[in-house]
Amino acid sequence: MKLDLFDYDLPEELIAQTPLKNRSDSRLMVLDKKTGEIEHSVFKNITQYLRPGDCLVLNNTKVLPARLIGIKDETGAKIEVLLLKQLEGDRWETLVKPAKRVKTGTVVRFGDGKLSAVCAEELDHGGRVMKFRYEGIFYEVLNELGKMPLPPYIKEQLEDQDRYQTVYAKEPGSAAAPTAGLHFTEALLKKIEAMGVKIVYITLHVGLGTFRPVNEENIENHDMHAEFYQVSEEAARTIMEVKENGGRVVSVGTTSTRTLETVASAHGGKIAASSGWTDIFIYPGYQYKAIDALITNFHLPKSTLIMMVSALAGRENILHAYETAVKEKYRFFSFGDAMLIK
């Protein structure tokens, strides 16, 4: 399957640079995956499209202030290090810029030496394994020195760092936010729960796969980076009860979807308590096993995420929906508007 099949034209001015004042004021496009029919609404009206007995599945990962700006020990050159995933102890997989300046053994210091890191291993695509040294508690040092790792297409400074976290973020570990969840407020979640929808939290820590473009002309040759996920006994039991009672599993975001589909693929279509690493790559031809509906944002052209939603709703339906979103001037990407595929 060719990469160009997932391309579309997006005017730069439609890339949202800042979040809206109120999270749930985002627009909501509702796409019927069977017919391709489109409705236009606002996110706070998501309750109109949910039913008692449904299950809403949210990713409760918390974004680390994972972007560190440091100085190379020998030369004083400026080095940017983005934490991607903890390997073991104080060793982390990172993305480094400029990578050519950081070789095995290179030392980078941050915050006048409060934190330092030595390059332990060189990986592909600017990846480096860095071993950190510090005094005290790593996450406290990181909170002091690190910045939120906003995607490269966001040029504006983020005034309130919490706006790049969901209101239910709990488990630290992500290098990027599960952005479909940014539209929810605590009040909206309470309203959804009060109407008889089960709310379930699972975890997937977003890593390198989010930042890597697809460079293969034939998409089947693209390799996904593995990301850590966790599904608790309680979450698995609730999802299975909803399925057995005829309710729908409504996944919030592509990260929740990847987690659920990974678990279902490993357990014969069932959701079971489990944790591990997933490198699942979902594109058209994939048969969904876990989810019935998806709340998501509008994704980059030629990205693995637009391939994933195309597998759910059909490529032509998705590209038509995106064409409509451009025409109607929806806001795109992380701080943009939402789509419900039902």
Side-chain angles (χ1 to χ4, degrees):
M1 196 170 283
K2 298 297 183 190
L3 181 60
D4 286 344
L5 292 172
F6 300 94
D7 199 8
Y8 67 92
D9 292 322
L10 179 68
E12 198 172 330
E13 63 268 19
L14 296 184
I15 300 173
Q17 293 296 314
T18 53
L20 296 180
K21 186 178 176 187
N22 297 311
R23 289 175 184 259
S24 59
D25 283 349
S26 307
R27 293 168 76 184
L28 176 68
M29 177 184 284
V30 182
L31 173 65
D32 186 311
K33 63 179 185 279
K34 291 192 176 74
T35 67
E37 286 180 17
I38 291 169
E39 292 177 59
H40 302 284
S41 187
V42 291
F43 196 82
K44 64 182 68 165
N45 292 341
I46 192 75
T47 49
Q48 295 175 9
Y49 302 96
L50 299 172
R51 307 174 200 139
D54 283 347
C55 175
L56 193 69
V57 183
L58 302 152
N59 180 6
N60 66 0
T61 190
K62 190 171 188 177
V63 186
L64 296 171
R67 186 168 164 260
L68 290 161
I69 308 296
I71 300 294
K72 186 175 172 181
D73 221 12
E74 307 128 40
T75 63
K78 182 177 158 186
I79 304 291
E80 179 179 319
V81 176
L82 177 66
L83 305 183
L84 294 173
K85 67 183 180 194
Q86 190 172 14
L87 300 174
E88 68 282 319
D90 294 319
R91 287 163 59 90
W92 285 74
E93 184 182 335
T94 70
L95 266 184
V96 171
K97 287 198 295 193
K100 63 185 178 189
R101 292 180 181 268
V102 179
K103 306 293 184 189
T104 303
T106 299
V107 176
V108 183
R109 299 191 186 277
F110 313 91
D112 298 323
K114 281 186 181 176
L115 180 67
S116 67
V118 61
C119 177
E121 189 181 341
E122 296 175 42
L123 308 173
D124 295 335
H125 307 294
R128 297 289 185 271
V129 175
M130 304 294 284
K131 188 173 192 312
F132 287 89
R133 299 191 185 105
Y134 53 91
E135 286 187 12
I137 298 167
F138 180 73
Y139 288 113
E140 288 181 2
V141 176
L142 189 62
N143 280 331
E144 183 184 343
L145 301 179
K147 300 184 188 320
M148 276 294 172
L150 294 177
Y153 48 76
I154 293 177
K155 314 297 183 196
E156 300 274 336
Q157 290 295 314
L158 184 61
E159 290 180 16
D160 178 2
Q161 299 293 305
D162 281 343
R163 290 308 303 275
Y164 196 58
Q165 301 277 18
T166 61
V167 296
Y168 47 83
K170 183 181 175 188
E171 304 292 340
S174 270
T179 52
L182 296 178
H183 305 284
F184 288 94
T185 62
E186 287 172 3
L188 182 55
L189 286 168
K190 282 178 183 166
K191 190 175 176 183
I192 290 167
E193 203 163 21
M195 62 181 279
V197 174
K198 302 283 187 188
I199 294 182
V200 168
Y201 296 98
I202 60 175
T203 305
L204 180 133
H205 293 318
V206 189
L208 186 61
T210 294
F211 297 91
R212 276 190 70 209
V214 179
N215 294 318
E216 300 284 353
E217 188 182 332
N218 185 348
I219 67 167
E220 286 98 332
N221 296 331
H222 177 71
D223 288 326
M224 294 288 287
H225 265 62
E227 296 168 315
F228 180 78
Y229 72 88
Q230 196 156 22
V231 178
S232 68
E233 290 273 5
E234 183 186 2
R237 185 170 58 249
T238 303
I239 293 168
M240 287 310 298
E241 283 172 3
V242 165
K243 278 182 160 294
E244 285 157 13
N245 292 330
R248 297 177 304 167
V249 175
V250 182
S251 180
V252 177
T254 55
T255 60
S256 298
T257 303
R258 292 184 73 224
T259 303
L260 293 174
E261 293 299 321
T262 295
V263 173
S265 296
H267 295 90
K270 296 188 183 328
I271 303 299
S274 56
S275 64
W277 296 86
T278 178
D279 60 359
I280 192 171
F281 179 20
I282 296 174
Y283 52 87
Y286 177 84
Q287 296 297 312
Y288 277 86
K289 301 164 186 67
I291 74 163
D292 301 294
L294 170 63
I295 295 168
T296 188
N297 281 15
F298 291 90
H299 305 295
L300 275 76
K302 298 183 177 181
S303 64
T304 60
L305 304 180
I306 198 168
M307 294 168 197
M308 180 191 284
V309 295
S310 295
L312 183 63
R315 187 183 69 88
E316 289 183 2
N317 285 344
I318 289 293
L319 290 180
H320 176 248
Y322 273 56
E323 191 181 304
T324 303
V326 169
K327 189 176 160 189
E328 298 292 331
K329 295 191 165 22
Y330 274 68
R331 302 165 80 245
F332 278 66
F333 305 162
S334 295
F335 289 138
D337 295 316
M339 175 190 278
L340 166 64
I341 302 172
K342 67 181 183 70

